[in-house]
């Protein structure tokens, strides 16, 4: 039995030391390596933010998830809220409690351009960075974003964002926050504008998050011409009207169509179009060479020509319209009984329209034929002189005959 064991052991050792054994070992290493890669690729990272679906956003309704991490900015805490599918959402009524497990229904569209601007220029559409250029963790991104939304609504007088008593911290407290922190040992984190650390060292910079990130966004959002999207503009060089060489048309000064706003370059190709909404019969648009523009798609410079015979007291105004579509941001309020209103903005095609009215007041240039006072005196003097010469000449003739 012992010899048998020795023989078996010897055979095992021989196989182990053989080339086949080496090949099998190498194969096992490769299989293990690729299995590791496959696991790394297929595993879902729960730290990643779920993207907001383009064109649909949060849909017609969604269910709120349980409140996430509580992030502290001094004495002003902010919770990370999301839908049950992981899409970040933000609160718009600070004085009302957030409720989880609640179905929120899509209500009216957000038309407050300032609010759209704040949400379009914050997390998750825009990532804030520290002084070294590194993106902050989602916890910091969320705190800055939620505070910026509440600060804007507070400064613009929204009725649900004014309270500072009881359980609701005064919004003014955010202006003195140099340090944001969350978690507990051994999973503690803190950040200031210089960066983030996993140890309780305190702020290394006196600059507050409000100064560095929030105040500029809110200031821009409060401007009268703010827009989260681009907009179409149309203007005319002046109100002068001329007549064409063939005297058949009145012609306006140069009309220019352009874009302005936060994202003027996001104009959807082929969407810009000019139309004549109302004008005397036969009105046309011409380019800078005088050729008629029949397809106004994408046109940005033109003149308006109006037939002279069509202009009457009842028809002497031209009304133009310019439309375009921008790839921008849209959003809706989501509400439920007894719950705080929430929202997030999403990428969508947003139309823009503008108009221009041109009065046709043509006054031809008439040469000035009026005389100055000096010219009048000179003319009268000349007439008097000629009359005097005539009288003298008339009197002189009879005397010649008498002689």
């Amino acid at each position: 039995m012992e010899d048998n064991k020795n023989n078996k052991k010897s055979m095992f050792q021989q196989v182990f030391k053989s080339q086949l054994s080496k090949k099998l070992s190498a194969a096992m290493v490769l299989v293990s390596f690729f299995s590791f890669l496959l696991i790394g690729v297929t595993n879902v990272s729960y730290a990643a933010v779920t993207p907001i679906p383009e064109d649909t956003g949060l849909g017609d309704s969604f269910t709120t998830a349980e409140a996430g991490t509580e992030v502290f900015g001094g004495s002003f805490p902010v919770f990370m809220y999301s839908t049950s599918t992981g899409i970040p959402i933000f609160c718009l009524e600070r004085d009302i409690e957030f409720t989880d497990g609640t179905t929120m229904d899509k209500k009216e569209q957000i038309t407050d351009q300032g609010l759209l601007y704040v949400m379009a220029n914050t997390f998750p559409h825009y990532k804030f960075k520290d002084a070294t250029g590194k993106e902050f963790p989602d916890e910091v991104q969320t705190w800055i974003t939620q505070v910026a939304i509440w600060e804007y609504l507070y400064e613009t007088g929204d009725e649900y964002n004014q309270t500072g008593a009881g359980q609701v911290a005064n919004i003014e407290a955010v202006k003195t926050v140099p340090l944001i922190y969350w978690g507990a040992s051994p999973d503690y984190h803190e950040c200031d504008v210089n960066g983030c650390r996993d140890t309780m060292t305190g702020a290394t910079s006196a600059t507050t998050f409000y100064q560095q990130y929030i105040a500029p966004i809110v200031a821009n959002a409060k401007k009268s011409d703010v827009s989260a999207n681009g907009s179409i503009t149309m203007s005319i060089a002046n109100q002068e009207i001329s007549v064409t060489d063939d005297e058949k048309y009145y012609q306006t000064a140069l009309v220019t169509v352009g874009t302005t706003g936060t994202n003027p370059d996001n104009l959807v190709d082929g969407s810009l179009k000019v139309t004549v909404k109302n004008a005397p019969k036969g009105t046309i648009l011409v380019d800078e060479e005088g050729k008629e523009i029949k397809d106004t798609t994408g046109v940005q410079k033109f003149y308006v020509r109006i037939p002279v015979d069509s202009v009457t007291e009842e028809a002497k105004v031209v009304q133009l319209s310019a439309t375009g579509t921008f790839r921008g941001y849209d959003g809706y309020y989501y509400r439920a009984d007894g719950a705080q209103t929430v929202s997030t903005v999403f990428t969508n095609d947003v139309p823009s329209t503008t108009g221009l009215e041109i009065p046709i007041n043509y006054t031809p240039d008439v040469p000035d034929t009026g005389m100055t006072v000096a010219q009048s005196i000179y003319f009268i003097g000349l007439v008097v002189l000629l009359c005097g010469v005539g009288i003298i000449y008339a009197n002189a003739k009879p005397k010649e005959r008498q002689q």
Side-chain angles (χ1 to χ4, degrees):
M1 289 179 65
E2 192 170 329
D3 286 343
N4 257 346
K5 288 180 182 178
N6 289 336
N7 287 337
K8 287 179 181 178
K9 185 176 180 182
S10 177
M11 288 175 64
F12 178 79
Q13 287 174 342
Q14 287 175 15
V15 171
F16 186 80
K17 292 178 180 179
S18 69
Q19 291 296 322
L20 177 61
S21 172
K22 292 178 181 178
K23 290 178 181 178
L24 287 172
S25 299
M28 289 176 65
V29 170
L30 288 173
V31 169
S32 300
F33 177 73
F34 284 112
S35 298
F36 173 77
L37 285 181
L38 188 60
I39 291 170
V41 170
T42 56
N43 271 0
V44 176
S45 173
Y46 291 99
V49 174
T50 302
I52 301 169
E54 292 187 6
D55 301 318
T56 58
L58 297 172
D60 292 330
S61 65
F62 62 85
T63 303
T64 55
E66 186 179 350
T69 304
E70 186 175 17
V71 185
F72 293 88
S75 60
F76 199 93
V78 166
F79 281 95
M80 298 179 73
Y81 296 122
S82 67
T83 68
S84 58
T85 58
I87 297 175
I89 52 177
F90 297 93
C91 297
L92 305 181
E93 296 171 330
R94 198 168 63 92
D95 296 352
I96 299 176
E97 288 291 329
F98 174 86
T99 59
D100 57 30
T102 302
T103 299
M104 309 294 292
D105 294 319
K106 181 179 181 179
K107 298 298 182 180
E108 66 271 25
Q109 188 176 25
I110 297 175
T111 57
D112 184 338
Q113 289 297 313
L115 178 58
L116 282 176
Y117 176 87
V118 172
M119 298 182 78
N121 288 275
T122 51
F123 180 72
H125 304 285
Y126 176 84
K127 300 293 183 67
F128 296 99
K129 298 177 181 178
D130 62 26
T132 68
K134 184 178 180 181
E135 289 183 1
F136 284 115
D138 290 352
E139 288 80 2
V140 177
Q141 305 281 356
T142 299
W143 192 92
I144 295 174
T145 299
Q146 184 64 83
V147 170
I149 292 171
W150 282 339
E151 180 66 24
Y152 168 77
L153 293 171
Y154 169 72
E155 291 189 20
T156 54
D158 182 84
E159 62 176 317
Y160 294 107
N161 287 275
Q162 302 303 312
T163 304
Q167 298 298 315
V168 182
N170 195 318
I171 190 69
E172 293 292 334
V174 303
K175 296 181 179 179
T176 59
V177 175
L179 185 70
I180 293 175
Y181 59 93
W182 66 97
S185 181
D187 195 29
Y188 174 81
H189 307 276
E190 66 176 34
C191 306
D192 60 14
V193 297
N194 288 334
C196 297
R197 299 163 293 280
D198 295 334
T199 55
M200 195 179 295
T201 57
T204 61
S205 172
T207 303
T208 67
F209 281 89
Y210 177 84
Q211 292 171 318
Q212 188 73 14
Y213 306 104
I214 298 169
I217 291 175
V218 174
N220 286 333
K222 291 172 64 180
K223 292 180 179 178
S224 59
D225 60 345
V226 68
S227 173
N229 310 300
S231 58
I232 304 294
T233 63
M234 185 161 50
S235 60
I236 189 167
N238 54 62
Q239 294 297 323
E240 293 180 5
I241 302 290
S242 60
V243 177
T244 56
D245 292 341
D246 59 9
E247 298 184 349
K248 292 182 178 180
Y249 291 94
Y250 293 123
Q251 181 167 303
T252 68
L254 183 67
V255 178
T256 303
V257 179
T259 59
T260 187
T262 306
N263 297 305
D265 296 330
N266 288 350
L267 184 66
V268 176
D269 290 342
S271 68
L272 179 62
K273 191 175 183 64
V274 176
T275 57
V276 180
K277 289 185 65 178
N278 185 34
K281 186 178 179 180
T283 297
I284 60 173
L285 307 183
V286 298
D287 61 20
E288 293 176 278
E289 296 179 354
K291 297 179 180 178
E292 183 179 355
I293 303 171
K294 294 184 178 181
D295 182 3
T296 61
T297 302
V299 65
Q300 292 186 288
K301 291 182 182 294
F302 60 90
Y303 298 87
V304 183
R305 283 188 178 178
I306 311 99
V308 172
D309 296 339
S310 297
V311 179
T312 64
E313 282 301 315
E314 292 75 27
K316 58 178 183 178
V317 173
V318 174
Q319 293 179 333
L320 302 175
S321 175
T323 60
T325 300
F326 290 88
R327 193 63 184 172
Y329 294 96
D330 201 359
Y332 290 83
Y333 296 101
Y334 285 80
R335 309 184 194 278
D337 292 340
Q340 178 169 177
T341 298
V342 298
S343 186
T344 191
V345 296
F346 58 95
T347 308
N348 195 11
D349 286 342
V350 182
S352 175
T353 302
T354 190
L356 181 67
E357 185 171 288
I358 308 173
I360 310 164
N361 296 318
Y362 175 69
T363 304
D365 292 332
V366 180
D368 185 7
T369 56
M371 292 185 179
T372 63
V373 174
Q375 288 173 327
S376 299
I377 294 173
Y378 175 80
F379 180 74
I380 294 171
L382 181 60
V383 171
V384 171
L385 177 63
L386 291 175
C387 289
V389 171
I391 292 170
I392 294 171
Y393 178 76
N395 289 334
K397 281 291 183 182
K399 289 181 180 179
E400 288 179 2
R401 289 174 183 170
Q402 287 175 5
Q403 291 175 357

